[in-house]
Amino acid sequence: MGTAIEWTDAVWNPVTGCSKVSEGCRNCYAFGLHDMRRKALLEGKKLPKQYAKPFTEIQLFPDRLAAPFKWKKPKRVFVNSMADLFHKDVPDDFIWSVFDIMAKCQEHTFQILTKRPERMEAMLSGRYWRDLGTSTRPFFARIIKGEEREGDVPFLPNVWLGTSVENQKAADERVRHLLETPATVRFLSCEPLLGPVDLEFTAQFEHPDNEGYGVQAIKGIDWIIAGGESGTNARPLHSDWVEGLRDQCEEYGVPFFFKQWGEWVPFNQTDTFPGHKTESIKMGNITCWRVGKKKAGRLLDGQEWNQFPDGGERDASRT
Ligand code: SF4
């Protein structure tokens, strides 16, 4: 399924539904879209049955699992744009089925983003198997081959795992779980970015079998996406916050992708005065204008930031 999301080529939604966990969820796009369609369905419009249930009810779609086998050209695929795969109501078995498909479709790159990285870590780090009373082993080797083989890598090379970081609190709580999860690419989605985020802090890990250790958070991150919020109740994005992330990425050699300003554009990021009648908001030392997502665009300090962790490009046909 095609998508307007700038950093991916397609979405794959074997799960829908979610519940809000933090400030970044306040104006959840998926929530709003589902509610709107649900209302239309209840008013008699013809829409898929999935909209009959409220968004907070997690729905599994086993019939969608095979979709990636049908895509002929290799794609970057965002897994669950309308849900959080690691929500507590998604059963373990279903999550393993999703991983099974990703393991079998190595030609595609799958991007999984969660606000529940503690469950992702628990399932993917080997603790899951220990809790089940089996030895620690790469889960996908077991899924595909039935047996663990020597030399198997402990994660899927075509799966990128990410967590959302909207402010410092989310960074402090979530990044350490991501860093403890085995992954080819670990990424952060800082969207909607709601405050400054410092990723130079030291994430501390504790292990029962040693004294624990610390890692500077940004050194374990392979990609950062940042962006503002869109929609009726969108909150503005201060240019200092996004420049701060961009500067950290440049300093530590982390690829950076700036998705959009969202509904509001800071006055120092546009050449066009939108007129005195345009709604504005003062954020400390800057003023942001409500010009709409399209006009606000995605230039940061006069240029697009389209870096990917695999050195790939953004599809230029998306404008
Ligand atoms: S975790 Fe994501 S999908 Fe779930 S409510 Fe929050 S923003 Fe929406």
Side-chain angles (χ1 to χ4, degrees), residues 18-20 25 28 83-84 115-116:
C18 197
S19 48
K20 298 185 177 183
C25 298
C28 172
D84 187 331
K115 283 194 174 70
R116 292 151 173 103

Side-chain angles (χ1 to χ4, degrees), residues 173-192:
E173 287 171 5
R174 295 179 188 147
V175 170
R176 69 193 172 88
H177 294 295
L178 179 67
L179 298 185
E180 282 274 82
T181 308
T184 306
V185 167
R186 296 189 188 91
F187 70 98
L188 301 183
S189 170
C190 303
E191 191 204 9

Side-chain angles (χ1 to χ4, degrees), residues 238-259:
H238 196 301
S239 48
D240 286 356
W241 305 341
V242 68
E243 283 170 347
L245 274 178
R246 189 265 329 266
D247 292 349
Q248 291 175 70
C249 284
E250 292 211 301
E251 189 176 341
Y252 290 89
V254 180
F256 179 70
F257 191 101
F258 182 52
K259 192 176 153 195

